[in-house]
Amino acid sequence: MENEQIKQAGLKVTAPRVKILSILERSGKRHMSAEDVYKELLSQDEEIGLATVYRVLTQFEGAGLVCRRHFESGQSVFELNSGEHHDHLVCIKCGAVVEFLDPTIETRQKRIAAEHHFKIEDHSLVVYGLCPECQGKR
Amino acid sequence: MENEQIKQAGLKVTAPRVKILSILERSGKRHMSAEDVYKELLSQDEEIGLATVYRVLTQFEGAGLVCRRHFESGQSVFELNSGEHHDHLVCIKCGAVVEFLDPTIETRQKRIAAEHHFKIEDHSLVVYGLCPECQGKR
DNA sequence: GGACAAGATGCGAAAGATTTTCAGTTTTCC
DNA sequence: GGAAAACTGAAAATCTTTCGCATCTTGTCC
Ligand SMILES: [Mn+2]
Ligand SMILES: [Mn+2]
Ligand SMILES: [Zn+2]
Ligand SMILES: [Zn+2]
């Protein structure tokens, strides 16, 4: 359960951490902002401050439990770390997210970095568009 | 000159707009933040407020004169709109930027969006790493 | 089970980036 | 030149995220 993951991450097992991790796990809609998590906690009558949510998410990130993403919405969103890198397709209308991994793109990126003698550290690829459901509506 | 571009963009020709556009044009180091532009104005003894810089950059963006980028630094950076799409390679140490365009990647992105029935609108690809100069130093 | 130090928490204040407000100024057009 | 419309700087307001700190908890050791 959550307790084990938190312990293994080298963090003390506390109520806020267990709650937040479990919210991220249950959330079928992954990629939640700190505010989203906070609201979910409120709706569950949990007495956890927003600052704690940010603090815990940042600690989880440091521990490799979650990944922080920057979809240009002004706020960071978090998702459980699946262990495998992937990129995102994001609906600009409803926010739906589809994850993908394209070996060809990954390879080309490495080649491009090499061509410019850059030592690649990371990359962020986000494709924005309208999901199937949002295309019909205006 | 600048006046024409501003006029054609449907904006009134005012001193702040002309100044800011010319700074972006002269700036060999493209990709300036609003703050960068503001500092440059200060160094030229121009009496232009930071709010105006933000306002003008946003208007220029709306008019298609400049592009706003989000390199995960917390603040937006702007560059003149060259008219041609391109992606970026950014040095995480010194901030150097290299622009590139890879047809293969562009094509694959379109295919991926199509596979998921997304109507693609835009995308952002940024590769982070260490530039040649920054690799030696620790 | 209780004592303790290390580590966490909640809250309000503070920060950093960007936007809004507003009263005074400038540009455009006739 | 003059009026309407658009623009501007400065300050205040937002928004998101982080800090400071007094107050709790947890993990560990008798
Ligand atoms: Mn994801
Ligand atoms: Mn560029
Ligand atoms: Zn959608
Ligand atoms: Zn560098």
Side-chain angles (χ1 to χ4, degrees):
Chain A
M1 68 187 328
E2 292 86 13
N3 297 35
E4 286 314 307
Q5 302 180 59
I6 294 173
K7 201 166 293 181
Q8 289 177 13
L11 300 171
K12 282 190 179 179
V13 176
T14 65
R17 289 175 181 167
V18 173
K19 259 297 170 202
I20 292 172
L21 185 52
S22 105
I23 283 177
L24 288 175
E25 283 172 343
R26 290 186 195 357
S27 169
K29 161 211 183 193
R30 282 189 293 309
H31 307 94
M32 300 180 80
S33 67
E35 193 72 38
D36 290 336
V37 173
Y38 179 59
K39 285 193 184 122
E40 180 59 28
L41 286 167
L42 285 184
S43 82
Q44 293 179 25
D45 290 307
E46 294 292 337
E47 303 257 313
I48 297 178
L50 181 56
T52 298
V53 174
Y54 274 105
R55 220 166 7 212
V56 170
L57 287 172
T58 300
Q59 292 163 333
F60 280 180
E61 181 190 17
L65 290 178
V66 309
C67 292
R68 181 192 303 258
R69 311 285 180 194
H70 299 92
F71 299 156
E72 28 209 286
S73 63
Q75 53 183 15
S76 303
V77 293
F78 301 81
E79 66 172 319
L80 284 180
N81 182 356
S82 65
E84 299 153 24
H85 162 73
H86 60 257
D87 293 307
H88 300 86
L89 201 47
V90 179
C91 177
I92 53 179
K93 189 158 184 186
C94 73
V97 173
V98 172
E99 309 184 329
F100 69 86
L101 178 61
D102 186 282
T104 305
I105 291 179
E106 301 290 322
T107 301
R108 301 275 333 165
Q109 284 175 173
K110 287 183 190 126
R111 174 166 313 177
I112 291 163
E115 281 169 1
H116 294 283
H117 308 293
F118 264 62
K119 179 156 169 265
I120 195 170
E121 287 284 322
D122 192 15
H123 73 263
S124 157
L125 168 57
V126 187
V127 178
Y128 298 94
L130 288 171
C131 73
E133 288 71 46
C134 290
Q135 284 174 50
K137 330 169 189 171
R138 166 72 289 268
Chain B
M1 71 188 325
E2 292 86 14
N3 297 35
E4 287 313 308
Q5 303 180 58
I6 294 173
K7 201 166 293 181
Q8 289 178 13
L11 299 171
K12 284 190 178 179
V13 177
T14 65
R17 289 175 182 168
V18 173
K19 256 304 170 198
I20 292 172
L21 185 52
S22 104
I23 282 177
L24 289 174
E25 283 172 342
R26 291 186 194 357
S27 168
K29 163 210 180 193
R30 281 189 294 307
H31 307 95
M32 299 179 81
S33 67
E35 192 73 38
D36 290 335
V37 173
Y38 179 59
K39 286 194 184 122
E40 180 58 29
L41 286 167
L42 286 184
S43 82
Q44 294 179 23
D45 290 307
E46 293 293 334
E47 302 257 312
I48 297 178
L50 182 55
T52 298
V53 175
Y54 274 106
R55 205 160 28 207
V56 170
L57 287 172
T58 300
Q59 292 162 335
F60 281 0
E61 180 189 19
L65 289 178
V66 310
C67 292
R68 180 194 303 258
R69 310 285 180 193
H70 299 91
F71 299 156
E72 31 208 286
S73 64
Q75 54 183 13
S76 303
V77 293
F78 302 80
E79 66 172 318
L80 283 180
N81 182 353
S82 65
E84 300 153 25
H85 162 73
H86 60 256
D87 293 306
H88 301 85
L89 200 48
V90 179
C91 176
I92 54 179
K93 187 157 184 186
C94 73
V97 174
V98 172
E99 309 184 330
F100 69 86
L101 178 60
D102 186 283
T104 305
I105 290 179
E106 301 290 321
T107 301
R108 302 273 338 165
Q109 285 175 173
K110 287 182 191 125
R111 172 167 314 176
I112 290 163
E115 281 170 2
H116 293 283
H117 309 290
F118 263 61
K119 178 155 168 269
I120 195 170
E121 288 284 322
D122 191 15
H123 72 264
S124 158
L125 168 57
V126 187
V127 178
Y128 298 93
L130 288 172
C131 74
E133 289 71 46
C134 290
Q135 284 174 51
K137 331 169 188 170
R138 167 76 289 273

PDB file of all heavy atoms in Angstrom, chain A residues 46-65:
ATOM      1  N   GLU A  46     -10.570  16.612   4.727  1.00  0.00           N
ATOM      2  CA  GLU A  46      -9.246  16.445   5.317  1.00  0.00           C
ATOM      3  C   GLU A  46      -8.703  17.819   5.672  1.00  0.00           C
ATOM      4  O   GLU A  46      -8.861  18.766   4.908  1.00  0.00           O
ATOM      5  CB  GLU A  46      -8.307  15.775   4.305  1.00  0.00           C
ATOM      6  CG  GLU A  46      -8.675  14.357   3.952  1.00  0.00           C
ATOM      7  CD  GLU A  46      -8.477  13.408   5.132  1.00  0.00           C
ATOM      8  OE1 GLU A  46      -7.675  13.743   6.025  1.00  0.00           O
ATOM      9  OE2 GLU A  46      -9.148  12.356   5.149  1.00  0.00           O
ATOM     10  N   GLU A  47      -8.070  17.917   6.810  1.00  0.00           N
ATOM     11  CA  GLU A  47      -7.514  19.184   7.260  1.00  0.00           C
ATOM     12  C   GLU A  47      -6.063  19.281   6.822  1.00  0.00           C
ATOM     13  O   GLU A  47      -5.157  19.173   7.632  1.00  0.00           O
ATOM     14  CB  GLU A  47      -7.569  19.266   8.774  1.00  0.00           C
ATOM     15  CG  GLU A  47      -8.934  19.098   9.369  1.00  0.00           C
ATOM     16  CD  GLU A  47      -9.520  20.433   9.791  1.00  0.00           C
ATOM     17  OE1 GLU A  47      -8.784  21.199  10.445  1.00  0.00           O
ATOM     18  OE2 GLU A  47     -10.675  20.714   9.434  1.00  0.00           O
ATOM     19  N   ILE A  48      -5.852  19.453   5.535  1.00  0.00           N
ATOM     20  CA  ILE A  48      -4.491  19.520   5.036  1.00  0.00           C
ATOM     21  C   ILE A  48      -4.333  20.821   4.272  1.00  0.00           C
ATOM     22  O   ILE A  48      -5.125  21.137   3.395  1.00  0.00           O
ATOM     23  CB  ILE A  48      -4.208  18.304   4.130  1.00  0.00           C
ATOM     24  CG1 ILE A  48      -4.316  17.025   4.985  1.00  0.00           C
ATOM     25  CG2 ILE A  48      -2.844  18.418   3.488  1.00  0.00           C
ATOM     26  CD1 ILE A  48      -4.112  15.754   4.227  1.00  0.00           C
ATOM     27  N   GLY A  49      -3.319  21.586   4.646  1.00  0.00           N
ATOM     28  CA  GLY A  49      -3.123  22.889   4.023  1.00  0.00           C
ATOM     29  C   GLY A  49      -2.539  22.804   2.626  1.00  0.00           C
ATOM     30  O   GLY A  49      -1.875  21.826   2.268  1.00  0.00           O
ATOM     31  N   LEU A  50      -2.808  23.847   1.843  1.00  0.00           N
ATOM     32  CA  LEU A  50      -2.306  23.884   0.469  1.00  0.00           C
ATOM     33  C   LEU A  50      -0.777  23.854   0.459  1.00  0.00           C
ATOM     34  O   LEU A  50      -0.161  23.212  -0.392  1.00  0.00           O
ATOM     35  CB  LEU A  50      -2.823  25.133  -0.236  1.00  0.00           C
ATOM     36  CG  LEU A  50      -2.416  25.342  -1.683  1.00  0.00           C
ATOM     37  CD1 LEU A  50      -2.799  24.141  -2.545  1.00  0.00           C
ATOM     38  CD2 LEU A  50      -3.080  26.597  -2.230  1.00  0.00           C
ATOM     39  N   ALA A  51      -0.177  24.523   1.412  1.00  0.00           N
ATOM     40  CA  ALA A  51       1.294  24.555   1.464  1.00  0.00           C
ATOM     41  C   ALA A  51       1.823  23.150   1.650  1.00  0.00           C
ATOM     42  O   ALA A  51       2.848  22.771   1.081  1.00  0.00           O
ATOM     43  CB  ALA A  51       1.763  25.459   2.601  1.00  0.00           C
ATOM     44  N   THR A  52       1.114  22.357   2.433  1.00  0.00           N
ATOM     45  CA  THR A  52       1.546  20.974   2.657  1.00  0.00           C
ATOM     46  C   THR A  52       1.408  20.170   1.382  1.00  0.00           C
ATOM     47  O   THR A  52       2.250  19.327   1.066  1.00  0.00           O
ATOM     48  CB  THR A  52       0.705  20.335   3.783  1.00  0.00           C
ATOM     49  OG1 THR A  52       0.923  21.066   4.968  1.00  0.00           O
ATOM     50  CG2 THR A  52       1.092  18.888   4.000  1.00  0.00           C
ATOM     51  N   VAL A  53       0.363  20.440   0.629  1.00  0.00           N
ATOM     52  CA  VAL A  53       0.172  19.716  -0.625  1.00  0.00           C
ATOM     53  C   VAL A  53       1.365  20.001  -1.543  1.00  0.00           C
ATOM     54  O   VAL A  53       1.970  19.085  -2.105  1.00  0.00           O
ATOM     55  CB  VAL A  53      -1.128  20.139  -1.329  1.00  0.00           C
ATOM     56  CG1 VAL A  53      -1.224  19.476  -2.693  1.00  0.00           C
ATOM     57  CG2 VAL A  53      -2.333  19.752  -0.470  1.00  0.00           C
ATOM     58  N   TYR A  54       1.722  21.260  -1.669  1.00  0.00           N
ATOM     59  CA  TYR A  54       2.860  21.615  -2.518  1.00  0.00           C
ATOM     60  C   TYR A  54       4.131  20.964  -1.986  1.00  0.00           C
ATOM     61  O   TYR A  54       4.933  20.417  -2.728  1.00  0.00           O
ATOM     62  CB  TYR A  54       3.056  23.133  -2.536  1.00  0.00           C
ATOM     63  CG  TYR A  54       2.218  23.827  -3.581  1.00  0.00           C
ATOM     64  CD1 TYR A  54       1.076  24.544  -3.232  1.00  0.00           C
ATOM     65  CD2 TYR A  54       2.562  23.762  -4.934  1.00  0.00           C
ATOM     66  CE1 TYR A  54       0.312  25.184  -4.197  1.00  0.00           C
ATOM     67  CE2 TYR A  54       1.799  24.407  -5.907  1.00  0.00           C
ATOM     68  CZ  TYR A  54       0.679  25.116  -5.528  1.00  0.00           C
ATOM     69  OH  TYR A  54      -0.073  25.746  -6.485  1.00  0.00           O
ATOM     70  N   ARG A  55       4.308  21.032  -0.670  1.00  0.00           N
ATOM     71  CA  ARG A  55       5.503  20.485  -0.064  1.00  0.00           C
ATOM     72  C   ARG A  55       5.596  18.990  -0.328  1.00  0.00           C
ATOM     73  O   ARG A  55       6.626  18.480  -0.767  1.00  0.00           O
ATOM     74  CB  ARG A  55       5.450  20.746   1.447  1.00  0.00           C
ATOM     75  CG  ARG A  55       6.751  21.137   2.044  1.00  0.00           C
ATOM     76  CD  ARG A  55       6.606  21.717   3.459  1.00  0.00           C
ATOM     77  NE  ARG A  55       5.270  21.646   4.047  1.00  0.00           N
ATOM     78  CZ  ARG A  55       4.811  22.566   4.900  1.00  0.00           C
ATOM     79  NH1 ARG A  55       5.535  23.617   5.209  1.00  0.00           N
ATOM     80  NH2 ARG A  55       3.619  22.441   5.429  1.00  0.00           N
ATOM     81  N   VAL A  56       4.502  18.291  -0.090  1.00  0.00           N
ATOM     82  CA  VAL A  56       4.495  16.842  -0.270  1.00  0.00           C
ATOM     83  C   VAL A  56       4.707  16.448  -1.732  1.00  0.00           C
ATOM     84  O   VAL A  56       5.472  15.527  -2.034  1.00  0.00           O
ATOM     85  CB  VAL A  56       3.176  16.244   0.264  1.00  0.00           C
ATOM     86  CG1 VAL A  56       3.035  14.786  -0.141  1.00  0.00           C
ATOM     87  CG2 VAL A  56       3.130  16.389   1.783  1.00  0.00           C
ATOM     88  N   LEU A  57       4.053  17.162  -2.628  1.00  0.00           N
ATOM     89  CA  LEU A  57       4.232  16.825  -4.041  1.00  0.00           C
ATOM     90  C   LEU A  57       5.687  17.026  -4.461  1.00  0.00           C
ATOM     91  O   LEU A  57       6.246  16.226  -5.210  1.00  0.00           O
ATOM     92  CB  LEU A  57       3.293  17.674  -4.912  1.00  0.00           C
ATOM     93  CG  LEU A  57       1.817  17.279  -4.829  1.00  0.00           C
ATOM     94  CD1 LEU A  57       0.941  18.292  -5.565  1.00  0.00           C
ATOM     95  CD2 LEU A  57       1.605  15.878  -5.396  1.00  0.00           C
ATOM     96  N   THR A  58       6.285  18.091  -3.954  1.00  0.00           N
ATOM     97  CA  THR A  58       7.678  18.349  -4.288  1.00  0.00           C
ATOM     98  C   THR A  58       8.581  17.267  -3.708  1.00  0.00           C
ATOM     99  O   THR A  58       9.530  16.826  -4.349  1.00  0.00           O
ATOM    100  CB  THR A  58       8.098  19.730  -3.752  1.00  0.00           C
ATOM    101  OG1 THR A  58       7.261  20.723  -4.354  1.00  0.00           O
ATOM    102  CG2 THR A  58       9.548  20.031  -4.099  1.00  0.00           C
ATOM    103  N   GLN A  59       8.242  16.815  -2.495  1.00  0.00           N
ATOM    104  CA  GLN A  59       9.049  15.742  -1.890  1.00  0.00           C
ATOM    105  C   GLN A  59       8.867  14.454  -2.678  1.00  0.00           C
ATOM    106  O   GLN A  59       9.825  13.726  -2.925  1.00  0.00           O
ATOM    107  CB  GLN A  59       8.604  15.516  -0.440  1.00  0.00           C
ATOM    108  CG  GLN A  59       8.942  16.675   0.476  1.00  0.00           C
ATOM    109  CD  GLN A  59       8.154  16.621   1.766  1.00  0.00           C
ATOM    110  OE1 GLN A  59       7.053  16.082   1.829  1.00  0.00           O
ATOM    111  NE2 GLN A  59       8.710  17.209   2.814  1.00  0.00           N
ATOM    112  N   PHE A  60       7.650  14.177  -3.065  1.00  0.00           N
ATOM    113  CA  PHE A  60       7.381  12.973  -3.847  1.00  0.00           C
ATOM    114  C   PHE A  60       8.150  13.029  -5.163  1.00  0.00           C
ATOM    115  O   PHE A  60       8.663  12.035  -5.651  1.00  0.00           O
ATOM    116  CB  PHE A  60       5.877  12.850  -4.144  1.00  0.00           C
ATOM    117  CG  PHE A  60       5.072  12.308  -2.996  1.00  0.00           C
ATOM    118  CD1 PHE A  60       3.695  12.143  -3.117  1.00  0.00           C
ATOM    119  CD2 PHE A  60       5.682  11.950  -1.792  1.00  0.00           C
ATOM    120  CE1 PHE A  60       2.938  11.629  -2.066  1.00  0.00           C
ATOM    121  CE2 PHE A  60       4.937  11.439  -0.728  1.00  0.00           C
ATOM    122  CZ  PHE A  60       3.549  11.284  -0.864  1.00  0.00           C
ATOM    123  N   GLU A  61       8.218  14.214  -5.717  1.00  0.00           N
ATOM    124  CA  GLU A  61       8.946  14.366  -6.967  1.00  0.00           C
ATOM    125  C   GLU A  61      10.423  14.059  -6.729  1.00  0.00           C
ATOM    126  O   GLU A  61      11.028  13.289  -7.478  1.00  0.00           O
ATOM    127  CB  GLU A  61       8.791  15.791  -7.510  1.00  0.00           C
ATOM    128  CG  GLU A  61       9.503  15.996  -8.836  1.00  0.00           C
ATOM    129  CD  GLU A  61       9.564  17.455  -9.251  1.00  0.00           C
ATOM    130  OE1 GLU A  61       9.359  18.337  -8.395  1.00  0.00           O
ATOM    131  OE2 GLU A  61       9.797  17.727 -10.441  1.00  0.00           O
ATOM    132  N   GLY A  62      10.943  14.637  -5.669  1.00  0.00           N
ATOM    133  CA  GLY A  62      12.353  14.408  -5.353  1.00  0.00           C
ATOM    134  C   GLY A  62      12.635  12.932  -5.115  1.00  0.00           C
ATOM    135  O   GLY A  62      13.703  12.427  -5.446  1.00  0.00           O
ATOM    136  N   ALA A  63      11.660  12.257  -4.543  1.00  0.00           N
ATOM    137  CA  ALA A  63      11.825  10.835  -4.229  1.00  0.00           C
ATOM    138  C   ALA A  63      11.520   9.950  -5.432  1.00  0.00           C
ATOM    139  O   ALA A  63      11.633   8.730  -5.358  1.00  0.00           O
ATOM    140  CB  ALA A  63      10.912  10.469  -3.071  1.00  0.00           C
ATOM    141  N   GLY A  64      11.115  10.570  -6.526  1.00  0.00           N
ATOM    142  CA  GLY A  64      10.829   9.778  -7.724  1.00  0.00           C
ATOM    143  C   GLY A  64       9.464   9.114  -7.731  1.00  0.00           C
ATOM    144  O   GLY A  64       9.182   8.272  -8.576  1.00  0.00           O
ATOM    145  N   LEU A  65       8.595   9.507  -6.801  1.00  0.00           N
ATOM    146  CA  LEU A  65       7.267   8.897  -6.777  1.00  0.00           C
ATOM    147  C   LEU A  65       6.337   9.530  -7.795  1.00  0.00           C
ATOM    148  O   LEU A  65       5.450   8.877  -8.334  1.00  0.00           O
ATOM    149  CB  LEU A  65       6.629   9.023  -5.383  1.00  0.00           C
ATOM    150  CG  LEU A  65       7.242   8.191  -4.255  1.00  0.00           C
ATOM    151  CD1 LEU A  65       6.528   8.484  -2.940  1.00  0.00           C
ATOM    152  CD2 LEU A  65       7.096   6.704  -4.603  1.00  0.00           C
TER     153      LEU A  65
END
